[in-house]
Amino acid sequence: MASHRKPRTRVLSSPGSRRTAAGLTTAALASVTLLSQSADAAPRAPKPTIEEVKQKVDGLYRQAEVATQKYNAAKEKAEGQRETVDKLLDAAAKRAERMNESRRTLGTFASAQYRTGGMNPTAQLMLAKDPQQFVDRSHLMERLTGRQKQAVTDYQEQQAEATRQRAEATRSLERLQESQTSLKESKQSVQGKLAEARQLLSRLTAQEKARLAELERKREAAAQRKAEELARKQAEEERRQREEQKQPGDGASDGSTGGGSDTGGSYSTKADKALAFARAQMGKPYVWGATGPTSYDCSGLTQAAWKAAGVDLPRTTWDQVKVGERVATKDLQPGDLVFFYDDISHVGMYIGGGKMIHAPKPGANVREESIYYMPIYGSVRPA
């Protein structure tokens, strides 16, 4: 019997077909190889120069300082709000106790009425959970004595005030939670910037690190030359003022010294105390968000130093720059605060001779440095 199945077609059965398939396979493999080589040969980004790495790292440190000031502000705000919430909760608890006392007074009146004449409608209203019913049914209020009316009024006032305080405490708690969220975000931002800076530095070879150190020395030397020039000009100005005081004038020879500044006496005394404190912190590490006693950030150091002199400064650079009197760089006196960068993200304390004490950056310790190491924003005399 003949089979009705269609015979299978043999593919590439001839030698020519096999040769064609082999050629196609070879071509495909060659194409893959060429594509792979093309991908490998794609131009890679050139390795950054040491100057570019330094610029990037310095920028990250600056960004971290800005984030640190945001962290400091959020932390200060959160602490203040936490104190407010605690006070409100304490006040609400005391108010609730007074409200309960008023309620007990109402219960006493109701019990007295029950003992003397049964549970009349007035007594039932006295024991009601909602004293507002007394107001809604004003014709029954006329049946109450003066003391009873006062007890009802006291209870209603205590209840209204307790409700207001609870609402205020709730709002303060919400603001506290917002501040804590901002605090967390600022902390993460600081940590992220510092981690990126550390990663960049860790990729450098020994030779590149030596080159980076050399660039840093040149920067410090240039800043030191500017500091020396400022010190020379300030010394000349002091000599000029002393000479003027020696000139015969209108008889005002009281033996006073000090360049003719009215701030000299009281300010210099406070400044000496602040500077003594700052000098005692030299060698301690910079730690972002720290206010002592074992480590500091820049504004934490200036705040602690002036606190030792009896002057309370705000926590952040952005607030410290608003305190006291603005002074020009040429008129700086020891103890003045010098702020840096357009974003006012850093601060140091002037010590004279064009130098300052400051907490520089992560990985560095509190030290003396030229005020020209960074671009100056402005200066203030805080007391």
Side-chain angles (χ1 to χ4, degrees):
M1 183 195 293
S3 172
H4 295 287
R5 286 195 231 159
K6 187 177 179 179
R8 277 191 268 178
T9 303
R10 295 183 177 274
V11 181
L12 301 177
S13 57
S14 67
S17 299
R18 285 195 294 272
R19 284 195 299 273
T20 301
L24 289 172
T25 302
T26 303
L29 289 172
S31 298
V32 170
T33 303
L34 287 172
L35 286 172
S36 175
Q37 291 174 347
S38 298
D40 291 340
R44 295 180 180 178
K47 185 176 180 179
T49 65
I50 295 301
E51 289 78 6
E52 290 171 338
V53 170
K54 177 174 171 51
Q55 184 178 12
K56 178 68 172 176
V57 170
D58 289 345
L60 287 168
Y61 281 145
R62 269 195 64 196
Q63 293 170 32
E65 279 209 294
V66 172
T68 296
Q69 296 306 315
K70 290 180 179 179
Y71 171 87
N72 293 339
K75 184 178 180 182
E76 188 175 45
K77 185 176 180 180
E79 289 173 349
Q81 288 173 336
R82 188 177 292 110
E83 290 179 3
T84 299
V85 168
D86 290 341
K87 290 178 181 177
L88 286 171
L89 291 176
D90 288 343
K94 293 175 181 177
R95 183 68 62 178
E97 179 57 33
R98 288 195 290 270
M99 185 177 69
N100 290 336
E101 182 62 31
S102 296
R103 188 176 182 85
R104 284 192 291 270
T105 301
L106 290 176
T108 301
F109 286 133
S111 298
Q113 283 189 337
Y114 178 78
R115 288 193 301 270
T116 57
M119 185 65 72
N120 59 28
T122 300
Q124 293 176 23
L125 286 174
M126 287 291 188
L127 293 175
K129 291 184 177 179
D130 184 5
Q132 188 60 41
Q133 294 170 4
F134 284 54
V135 178
D136 298 337
R137 302 178 186 181
S138 58
H139 65 283
L140 291 175
M141 290 293 290
E142 297 174 0
R143 301 171 59 181
L144 300 177
T145 67
R147 289 181 62 195
Q148 290 170 330
K149 288 181 180 180
Q150 185 60 48
V152 173
T153 300
D154 288 345
Y155 178 78
Q156 290 172 336
E157 290 177 352
Q158 298 294 347
Q159 186 183 47
E161 184 62 20
T163 300
R164 186 193 67 79
Q165 287 182 333
R166 282 195 297 268
E168 188 176 352
T170 299
R171 290 192 296 270
S172 293
L173 280 171
E174 291 172 353
R175 289 192 292 269
L176 175 58
Q177 290 171 349
E178 291 173 359
S179 295
Q180 289 174 332
T181 299
S182 176
L183 189 66
K184 181 179 179 181
E185 291 172 352
S186 297
K187 181 177 181 178
Q188 290 173 340
S189 177
V190 173
Q191 291 173 332
K193 301 299 182 184
L194 296 181
E196 188 176 352
R198 285 193 296 269
Q199 188 177 35
L200 281 171
L201 293 173
S202 68
R203 294 173 182 168
L204 298 179
T205 65
Q207 288 182 337
E208 289 171 334
K209 289 179 180 178
R211 171 63 178 154
L212 186 64
E214 177 62 24
L215 290 175
E216 187 68 15
R217 283 192 292 272
K218 288 182 178 180
R219 177 182 176 181
E220 291 173 353
Q224 179 59 29
R225 286 192 294 272
K226 290 184 178 180
E228 291 170 355
E229 177 64 16
L230 175 62
R232 183 185 64 79
K233 290 180 178 179
Q234 288 181 329
E236 289 177 354
E237 178 63 18
E238 289 177 3
R239 281 195 296 271
R240 184 189 66 78
Q241 290 183 2
R242 286 196 297 270
E243 289 297 325
E244 287 181 354
Q245 289 178 348
K246 293 178 182 178
Q247 296 295 327
D250 50 10
S253 57
D254 58 359
S256 63
T257 60
S261 174
D262 291 335
T263 64
S266 61
Y267 180 74
S268 63
T269 299
K270 293 177 181 178
D272 287 345
K273 292 179 181 178
L275 287 169
F277 179 93
R279 287 191 174 96
Q281 313 314 307
M282 287 180 60
K284 294 182 179 180
Y286 173 102
V287 174
W288 65 270
T291 57
T294 58
S295 58
Y296 297 89
D297 64 17
C298 65
S299 56
L301 176 63
T302 52
Q303 183 189 45
W306 271 104
K307 186 175 181 64
V311 177
D312 289 327
L313 294 181
R315 178 65 183 90
T316 68
T317 54
W318 303 322
D319 290 327
Q320 289 182 8
V321 75
K322 301 173 185 176
V323 174
E325 173 190 356
R326 293 296 293 268
V327 293
T329 301
K330 67 182 181 63
D331 298 324
L332 283 170
Q333 294 181 14
D336 292 347
L337 301 181
V338 186
F339 298 86
F340 301 90
Y341 302 111
D342 290 341
D343 53 17
I344 322 176
S345 57
H346 193 76
V347 63
M349 181 180 294
Y350 191 66
I351 61 174
K355 293 184 177 182
M356 64 179 170
I357 294 177
H358 71 144
K361 59 185 178 182
N365 297 330
V366 176
R367 66 191 183 200
E368 292 184 3
E369 199 146 47
S370 167
I371 61 172
Y372 293 103
Y373 182 76
M374 296 166 281
I376 297 173
Y377 171 83
S379 306
V380 300
R381 189 157 296 149

